[in-house]
């Protein structure tokens, strides 16, 4: 049972409809409906029934609503307490985040955290590799991977979609591949690969068949922002994480390529993790920053808002 599911139930009962609840929580009606269905499915009960004018709780619905009100009130009180304690945070914290995500969204958010807590000093590095947090003296790392590294404490923050993308200028000059096999006829921009060869795999949305193609990249670079600029300038086709190009996709500076095919989510990592070294007693500063980062990845957080269009979701 998630707190957001309970908050959705409270909003529906108190506002009387899915639409009004969605407006109250600043989200979509489909999201509210999905959270209600999850509650009912998890507990195998009907929580609401529709009357001629509004949604009314069932008997078990009223019981869960009363419980949800208490839980959400206690959570609000806890958040207020944490906020009050956070005003007096002290100490030094070391954070490592992926280059693209750090420079684009999470870095500016961390600056807000630093500004809000004058007693906290922060060492921030932009790095894409997973390394020994203890040897490098890193308190918190954000990493993209298929699974978290062993011997660390990892919390999944988000799924990651890798999007084949292309610029309108490139399409005008060279056209756009209709199938993965046609990528061999185009220039490819990519993160560094071994032996100067890259194997990409895609899944057909219609047949669910796997398509594998071996390619020779035109340009390789570890800096994702540089790769994005290269693709925008018409230097080639790339497969980049959605969070890095969401603004460009919305503006039309980049468009999705290979419509009808999904890139293999495990090519470069399909999840974003918050990683820390094992510790029974992390400092209040580290705990507060971890909560801040998780909030940034929530539905209405700085990173979460940017991720909403992943997988073509509305």
């Amino acid at each position: 049972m998630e707190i957001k599911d309970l908050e959705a139930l409270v909003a529906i009962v108190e506002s009387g409809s899915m639409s009004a609840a969605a407006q109250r929580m600043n989200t979509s009606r489909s999201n509210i409906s999905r959270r209600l269905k999850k509650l009912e499915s998890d507990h195998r009960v009907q929580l609401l029934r529709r009357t001629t004018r509004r949604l009314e709780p069932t008997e078990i619905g009223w019981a869960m609503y009363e419980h949800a009100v208490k839980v959400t009130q206690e959570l609000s009180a806890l958040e207020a307490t944490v906020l009050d304690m956070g005003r007096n945070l002290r100490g030094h914290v070391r954070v490592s985040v992926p280059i693209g995500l750090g420079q684009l969204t999470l870095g500016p958010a961390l600056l807000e955290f630093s500004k809000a807590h004058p007693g906290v000093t922060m060492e921030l590095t932009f790095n894409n590799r997973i390394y020994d947090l203890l040897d490098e003296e890193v308190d918190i790392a954000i990493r993209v991977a298929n699974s978290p590294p062993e011997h660390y404490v990892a919390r999944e923050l988000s799924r990651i979609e890798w999007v084949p993308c292309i610029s309108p200028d490139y399409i005008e000059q060279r056209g756009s591949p209709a199938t993965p096999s046609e990528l061999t006829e185009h220039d490819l921009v990519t993160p560094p690969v071994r032996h100067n060869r890259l194997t990409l795999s895609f899944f057909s949305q219609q047949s669910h068949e796997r398509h594998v193609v071996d390619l020779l990249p035109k340009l390789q670079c570890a800096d994702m922002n540089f790769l994005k600029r290269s693709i925008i300038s018409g230097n080639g086709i790339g497969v980049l994480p959605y969070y890095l190009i969401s603004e460009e996709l919305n503006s039309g500076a980049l468009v999705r390529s290979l419509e009808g095919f999904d890139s293999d989510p495990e090519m470069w990592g399909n999840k974003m993790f918050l990683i820390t070294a094992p510790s029974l007693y992390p400092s209040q500063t580290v705990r507060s920053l971890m909560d801040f980062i998780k909030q940034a990845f929530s539905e209405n957080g700085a990173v979460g808002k940017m991720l909403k269009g992943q997988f073509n979701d509305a």
Side-chain angles (χ1 to χ4, degrees):
M1 184 185 302
E2 298 182 9
I3 187 65
K4 285 292 185 182
D5 299 337
L6 295 178
E7 290 176 344
L9 176 63
V10 171
I12 295 170
V13 172
E14 294 182 353
S15 59
S17 72
M18 297 279 191
S19 299
Q23 186 174 10
R24 170 173 165 171
M25 294 185 67
N26 192 28
T27 186
S28 65
R29 186 184 185 281
S30 61
N31 184 44
I32 293 293
S33 177
R34 184 167 59 250
R35 292 192 177 281
L36 174 62
K37 288 179 181 177
K38 183 175 182 299
L39 270 179
E40 293 182 326
S41 174
D42 288 347
H43 298 280
R44 298 182 180 180
V45 294
Q46 180 182 355
L47 298 175
L48 299 172
R49 58 175 173 265
R50 180 172 294 279
T51 67
T52 55
R53 300 186 62 182
R54 58 186 286 133
L55 289 172
E56 292 285 354
T58 61
E59 183 177 356
I60 187 64
W62 276 117
M64 185 169 289
Y65 162 74
E66 293 173 356
H67 169 75
V69 169
K70 293 178 183 178
V71 170
T72 53
Q73 288 176 344
E74 290 174 358
L75 179 62
S76 296
L78 176 60
E79 289 175 341
T81 300
V82 171
L83 179 62
D84 184 62
M85 292 176 62
R87 293 180 181 139
N88 300 312
L89 291 180
R90 296 288 186 274
H92 185 66
V93 61
R94 294 148 300 195
V95 186
S96 177
V97 301
I99 296 172
L101 181 70
Q103 294 178 349
L104 186 65
T105 303
L106 190 54
L110 291 174
L111 292 180
E112 294 181 10
F113 179 90
S114 179
K115 184 177 180 180
H117 304 288
V120 175
T121 58
M122 183 183 301
E123 181 179 341
L124 178 61
T125 60
F126 295 152
N127 200 308
N128 291 326
R129 62 190 179 94
I130 296 178
Y131 46 74
D132 191 317
L133 301 187
L134 296 176
D135 285 348
E136 300 285 346
E137 296 184 334
V138 171
D139 298 301
I140 299 172
I142 310 299
R143 289 293 176 265
V144 175
N146 292 320
S147 58
E150 296 182 358
H151 313 304
Y152 291 102
V153 178
R155 302 157 183 84
E156 183 179 330
L157 296 171
S158 173
R159 292 186 302 153
I160 297 297
E161 181 190 16
W162 290 83
V163 181
C165 55
I166 191 171
S167 73
D169 287 344
Y170 184 94
I171 294 175
E172 184 177 347
Q173 296 294 324
R174 301 280 301 276
S176 180
T179 64
S181 62
E182 293 182 15
L183 284 172
T184 57
E185 303 170 11
H186 292 269
D187 295 332
L188 190 70
V189 175
T190 177
V193 296
R194 298 184 63 183
H195 309 304
N196 205 32
R197 303 295 300 185
L198 175 65
T199 300
L200 292 180
S201 60
F202 300 86
F203 295 95
S204 169
Q205 295 174 0
Q206 184 174 9
S207 66
H208 305 292
E209 292 181 352
R210 186 187 188 99
H211 297 255
V212 180
V213 57
D214 188 46
L215 302 165
L216 176 66
K218 176 184 179 182
L219 176 65
Q220 303 176 42
C221 183
D223 187 332
M224 290 287 191
N225 285 313
F226 179 79
L227 292 181
K228 179 174 72 172
R229 291 194 296 271
S230 299
I231 299 169
I232 292 173
S233 67
N235 207 41
I237 301 173
V239 182
L240 296 180
Y242 178 86
Y243 65 77
L244 189 68
I245 58 174
S246 61
E247 183 175 332
E248 288 73 19
L249 290 173
N250 289 330
S251 69
L254 291 174
V255 297
R256 289 176 178 262
S257 183
L258 294 172
E259 291 290 345
F261 294 89
D262 295 321
S263 59
D264 185 345
E266 297 187 358
M267 280 191 299
W268 289 295
N270 61 1
K271 297 181 181 69
M272 186 85 72
F273 292 98
L274 188 157
I275 302 171
T276 59
S279 173
L280 292 177
Y281 305 105
S283 70
Q284 177 65 36
T285 298
V286 170
R287 293 199 302 270
S288 296
L289 183 53
M290 289 169 57
D291 289 340
F292 179 87
I293 292 172
K294 286 186 283 187
Q295 173 60 34
F297 276 85
S298 68
E299 185 175 353
N300 293 312
V303 182
K305 289 179 180 178
M306 186 174 56
L307 293 173
K308 282 185 178 179
Q310 286 196 123
F311 310 100
N312 282 312
D313 291 340

